[in-house]
Amino acid sequence: MKALLLSAYAAASHRFWADGLEQAFPEIDWQRLELPPRHFQWRVRGNPLMWRLANHAVLEQSFDLVVATSMVDLATLVGLCPSLAQARKVVYFHENQFAFPRSSRQVLRPEPMMVNLYAALAADVVVFNSAYNRDSLVAGARDFLSRMPDRLPLEPWLSRLAAHAHVLPVPLPDQAVRPAGRGRRIVWNHRWEYDKNPEAFFAALERLVAEGIDFEVAVMGQQFRDRPAVFDTARAWLGERIVCWGEQPAADYAAMLDAADIVVSTTDHEFQGLAIMEAVTRGCLPLVPDRLCFPDYYPDACRYLGDVESLVSRLRGWLIDPASRPPLPDARQWQWPAWRSAYGEILGLRPRPDTA
């Protein structure tokens, strides 16, 4: 099988998924085209033009399979490169633009939403990384289109999409799972951006400090030039409780997760949460809000109501009495061996003789 893998905005999690896909299916002859994760609006709208002009020789080839992320304007690309029309077309939604939170400085732009819809319409198979991702796209598309002119009759298609789309998470590598830690080290390992809601995380830690509760904290994750001011102010008052601060090289990041005990999310935006899953694999007990994708993946005992008060209450209990902590979720359920067969099916592969 000859396959073309397309990623129009190759952020770290998208590259992680694409690398894993190629490694899980070495029997497929993969070719990959991807664009750097910057200039979002242009990447999402301009990717067919960029690839058509810069990679025409690749796109003229005959492929059995095309796998594209939801930021690829697949409908336009197939129109520009008709040879792709005969391939099996799979679109993978890492996220959807209908459920993406916007800051007060951002203006609602319909173009990325429409690219999501065009990609899904052009696909033979549509895949989401969580049920929340699927459901929020369908609900968001209904709301968005109801406010547009012409009242398009898309409801039958949206209903079919909700019923027939696949839900397959981005799998983690096959690796040993570390037992749960029982210490008092808390880790934050998310992007330093407003949609991850760091204000709530640091507000909870400030309450714990005021109550005299002992803990350590490792604050990691990807950083940008424009970051929420709360990181700088929190670093000052956390003082000696900090064991790690800032983005880390891969080996140091993994070692810090191995030494941590609790991983926390306060996010307002998450469609799967690879950072939490990675931390769980390395023995960190997750504490995540009871919203977004998290009910899809974590038991009640690992979810708090979503506000600062309930986060403080749960952390207080876990730190004072480690024996009260629930069991660590089984991270093997998120690894490639658990998902290779399902991925093979959506890619159109026949089962291996030893797994049939």
Side-chain angles (χ1 to χ4, degrees):
M1 179 181 285
K2 189 173 181 179
L4 179 63
L5 181 55
L6 300 170
S7 182
Y9 195 82
S13 60
H14 296 206
R15 292 196 305 272
F16 179 85
W17 166 80
D19 291 343
L21 198 61
E22 292 183 353
Q23 293 163 12
F25 296 97
E27 66 270 34
I28 296 178
D29 178 13
W30 294 99
Q31 289 198 51
R32 193 195 305 190
L33 297 179
E34 59 186 18
L35 299 171
R38 54 181 181 268
H39 311 303
F40 174 80
Q41 297 294 336
W42 167 237
R43 290 284 181 265
V44 171
R45 197 65 193 95
N47 61 82
L49 178 64
M50 285 183 277
W51 282 327
R52 175 63 175 79
L53 296 179
N55 303 99
H56 185 54
V58 173
L59 297 173
E60 281 187 326
Q61 298 176 30
S62 177
F63 291 97
D64 304 296
L65 172 68
V66 174
V67 181
T69 67
S70 58
M71 295 182 186
V72 175
D73 187 348
L74 188 59
T76 298
L77 186 63
V78 171
L80 294 173
C81 306
S83 61
L84 300 179
Q86 302 305 312
R88 179 181 179 87
K89 293 174 285 296
V90 177
V91 169
Y92 191 87
F93 278 80
H94 292 270
E95 67 283 293
N96 76 78
Q97 293 302 305
F98 296 95
F100 202 100
R102 289 166 180 82
S103 71
S104 58
R105 296 177 294 175
Q106 290 178 306
V107 177
L108 177 65
R109 296 178 182 269
E111 292 88 352
M113 299 179 185
M114 297 307 299
V115 167
N116 279 178
L117 294 181
Y118 291 148
L121 280 164
D124 298 306
V125 181
V126 177
V127 188
F128 294 89
N129 60 354
S130 65
Y132 164 73
N133 192 357
R134 176 199 62 202
D135 297 343
S136 61
L137 179 138
V138 172
R142 283 178 176 141
D143 176 68
F144 171 73
L145 294 169
S146 71
R147 294 182 279 116
M148 296 298 107
D150 302 323
R151 301 291 179 177
L152 297 174
L154 282 175
E155 182 54 39
W157 174 72
L158 288 172
S159 296
R160 288 195 301 272
L161 176 64
H164 297 296
H166 298 258
V167 175
L168 305 178
V170 174
L172 301 179
D174 182 13
Q175 64 186 80
V177 178
R178 175 179 167 265
R182 290 294 176 183
R184 293 180 170 83
R185 182 172 295 181
I186 301 168
V187 66
W188 163 282
N189 60 337
H190 314 284
R191 287 184 288 104
W192 290 24
E193 292 189 290
Y194 72 93
D195 59 300
K196 297 304 182 182
N197 193 16
E199 290 82 3
F201 174 70
F202 290 117
L205 296 191
E206 193 169 17
R207 286 274 303 277
L208 296 176
V209 170
E211 294 178 18
I213 295 175
D214 184 32
F215 68 89
E216 296 177 330
V217 63
V219 179
M220 302 187 288
Q222 188 178 12
Q223 298 179 56
F224 305 89
R225 285 184 300 176
D226 184 15
R227 67 190 188 205
V230 69
F231 284 97
D232 295 324
T233 56
R235 186 176 189 177
W237 57 258
L238 279 167
E240 295 181 354
R241 294 176 179 83
I242 297 171
V243 295
C244 179
W245 192 269
E247 194 167 354
Q248 303 296 312
D252 294 343
Y253 172 76
M256 189 56 60
L257 291 182
D258 286 340
D261 305 289
I262 299 168
V263 61
V264 174
S265 173
T266 51
T267 188
D268 292 326
H269 166 229
E270 202 73 83
F271 294 101
Q272 179 177 337
L274 277 170
I276 295 289
M277 290 181 172
E278 288 175 340
V280 173
T281 300
R282 294 187 172 276
C284 298
L285 183 63
L287 187 51
V288 296
D290 189 22
R291 57 175 178 253
L292 309 172
C293 63
F294 295 117
D296 294 349
Y297 291 118
Y298 300 98
D300 292 347
C302 293
R303 306 198 307 267
Y304 64 97
L305 293 179
D307 60 299
V308 172
E309 186 63 40
S310 59
L311 175 58
V312 170
S313 176
R314 190 68 63 87
L315 282 173
R316 182 192 298 117
W318 286 5
L319 292 169
I320 292 175
D321 182 13
S324 69
R325 300 176 191 177
L328 192 69
D330 184 2
R332 292 172 298 179
Q333 65 184 310
W334 305 319
Q335 296 181 356
W336 264 110
W339 292 99
R340 190 187 187 282
S341 177
Y343 266 90
E345 181 179 346
I346 64 114
L347 296 178
L349 290 175
R350 294 180 179 179
R352 289 177 173 177
D354 60 345
T355 60

